[in-house]
Amino acid sequence: EKIASEQPYGDWLQQNLVNENDLPDPAGEVQQLDTESLMRRQKAFGFTFEDLRFLIKPSVQTGNQPLGAMGNDTPLAVLSDRPQPLYNYFKQLFAQVTNPAIDPIREELITASVTFLGSEGDLINPGPENCRMIKLDNPIIDNQKLARIRDFHASGFKAASLPILFDPQTDQEGLDAGHLSIEEPRPVDRGPGLHDALELLFEMADDAIKDGVNLLILSDRDISPFRAGIPALLAVSGLHHHLIREGVRGKVSILLESGEPREVQHFALLLGYGCDAINPYLALESVEHLLADDEVEVDSATAKANFIKANIKGVIKTMAKMGISTVASYRGAQIF
């Protein structure tokens, strides 16, 4: 009672906490479905027929994670001779002694997907500024919600978009440079290769933080023939650890606007390696495309809500196997 009544915590929260439903509408238009380039972008991010038919479609129809066979006989990604998404190289660890698994359905009361965005402030000496955060019901957000966060200019919040793109040809040229003869002209450098692009991302993040930014939005929307997306998991985890090394991780939230994530494993990994909120824009566009082709019999708003609901339920189930009940405890835990 003494500790609880030391400060007027309730008043601080009432005056400073911003609920996601109270965010004003975005200034510009939210980007709509672009069917012309949809398949090209799906190929660029490695979408497969199975992703659309057996993962996205069932989750849109039911709002639940699709069920599969008990036995997973998929070959290990490290032994595959086909290109694999980075996510496929990871397996979640399981608690073996002290952490009993939770039943996320019957013990729903103790599970929480609530997420806070903003600067954490000084945890040792709390004040009203510690409560100046945006509260989200869950960390998977649609395009509209991301646009609202990006355009929110209230005191204590400043967002910046950082591109997570690299030139795959520059990378290849670096590998091939050893085979060039002296007479051959060197290829034109179109942009940074993967390693340099990551270093550039860290520099841009440092500059943004010095400029007062506390909502870093990593975006691969501008992919093109000479600009591939840095694997989202690599960008998020790399930046997360860079900010920890610099001692500023608590000052910012990392949001991801990516075409890559489309299934529970992807969302669980991104959260587990430090991401605060995820906007899977290409998966949501793929949902709209299924609607346009009359493959799903629900309205657009319900379809997208079902997709998000199915995946966050899947993440909670995945956390529960480790005996973890809140997304806040799972974020950055790296139990893979």
Side-chain angles (χ1 to χ4, degrees):
E1 189 182 341
K2 176 180 175 290
I3 292 165
S5 56
E6 261 178 10
Q7 304 285 359
Y9 299 113
D11 295 341
W12 289 356
L13 283 166
Q14 205 167 1
Q15 289 158 17
N16 291 286
L17 192 67
V18 181
N19 205 297
E20 61 177 35
N21 299 322
D22 298 332
L23 292 170
D25 288 331
E29 270 190 34
V30 179
Q31 282 175 294
Q32 299 303 316
L33 174 63
D34 176 10
T35 45
E36 297 249 327
S37 68
L38 182 66
M39 188 177 282
R40 194 165 69 242
R41 287 179 295 134
Q42 283 174 336
K43 284 181 181 177
F45 285 112
F47 275 61
T48 63
F49 182 81
E50 283 78 11
D51 287 334
L52 297 171
R53 288 288 171 279
F54 302 128
L55 291 173
I56 294 176
K57 187 177 173 182
S59 63
V60 166
Q61 286 172 318
T62 64
N64 288 307
Q65 185 183 4
L67 293 174
M70 278 289 282
N72 179 5
D73 60 354
T74 314
L76 292 173
V78 72
L79 301 177
S80 172
D81 55 3
R82 299 193 57 77
Q84 298 277 350
L86 190 54
Y87 308 99
N88 289 8
Y89 291 86
F90 292 79
K91 302 263 186 251
Q92 178 165 280
L93 298 169
F94 288 94
Q96 295 181 346
V97 190
T98 55
N99 256 30
I102 296 166
D103 180 340
I105 297 167
R106 289 165 190 81
E107 300 186 73
E108 194 179 359
L109 192 67
I110 59 155
T111 61
S113 61
V114 66
T115 291
F116 296 94
L117 304 179
S119 305
E120 285 182 4
D122 183 353
L123 300 180
I124 309 297
N125 303 301
E129 63 282 352
N130 289 58
C131 303
R132 193 71 180 136
M133 302 190 97
I134 297 170
K135 181 184 177 185
L136 303 176
D137 289 339
N138 80 68
I140 306 173
I141 56 177
D142 60 20
N143 302 359
Q144 177 84 12
K145 208 166 280 180
L146 180 69
R148 284 174 158 199
I149 293 166
R150 185 182 268 137
D151 287 359
F152 189 52
H153 298 305
S155 165
F157 300 103
K158 188 175 181 182
S161 290
L162 308 179
I164 48 169
L165 302 167
F166 75 104
D167 182 357
Q169 251 167 300
T170 299
D171 251 26
Q172 191 56 43
E173 285 158 8
L175 294 172
D176 295 342
H179 308 299
L180 291 174
S181 68
I182 295 167
E183 291 77 29
E184 282 185 89
R186 286 196 169 270
V188 178
D189 183 10
R190 292 184 193 81
L194 183 56
H195 184 274
D196 292 340
L198 272 171
E199 292 296 334
L200 188 62
L201 171 66
F202 302 161
E203 280 176 35
M204 287 191 293
D206 290 342
D207 291 343
I209 292 167
K210 283 173 192 162
D211 197 31
V213 169
N214 63 349
L215 302 170
L216 294 173
I217 302 169
L218 310 187
S219 177
D220 57 25
R221 262 197 188 272
D222 295 330
I223 61 161
S224 69
F226 299 114
R227 288 288 181 274
I230 296 173
L233 182 58
L234 181 63
V236 163
S237 58
L239 182 59
H240 173 70
H241 279 281
H242 170 75
L243 297 178
I244 289 171
R245 285 192 297 270
E246 296 295 314
V248 293
R249 181 65 185 91
K251 288 185 178 180
V252 296
S253 291
I254 299 174
L255 294 85
L256 176 68
E257 179 183 35
S258 176
E260 260 188 20
R262 51 196 176 268
E263 59 173 286
V264 170
Q265 162 95 338
H266 300 177
F267 295 111
L269 271 161
L270 288 165
L271 292 166
Y273 281 89
C275 199
D276 289 283
I278 306 156
N279 167 232
Y281 67 85
L282 193 57
L284 293 169
E285 279 190 52
S286 301
V287 168
E288 285 208 36
H289 195 248
L290 289 173
L291 293 174
D293 285 354
D294 293 327
E295 294 204 32
V296 185
E297 293 173 4
V298 289
D299 63 90
S300 176
T302 306
K304 288 186 209 167
N306 276 355
F307 174 77
I308 290 172
K309 178 182 164 192
N311 281 287
I312 198 62
K313 278 167 80 174
V315 167
I316 286 171
K317 186 176 85 176
T318 307
M319 297 182 336
K321 291 175 184 174
M322 267 300 278
I324 294 174
S325 59
T326 68
V327 167
S329 299
Y330 194 70
R331 183 175 288 110
Q334 303 182 166
I335 37 184
F336 294 88

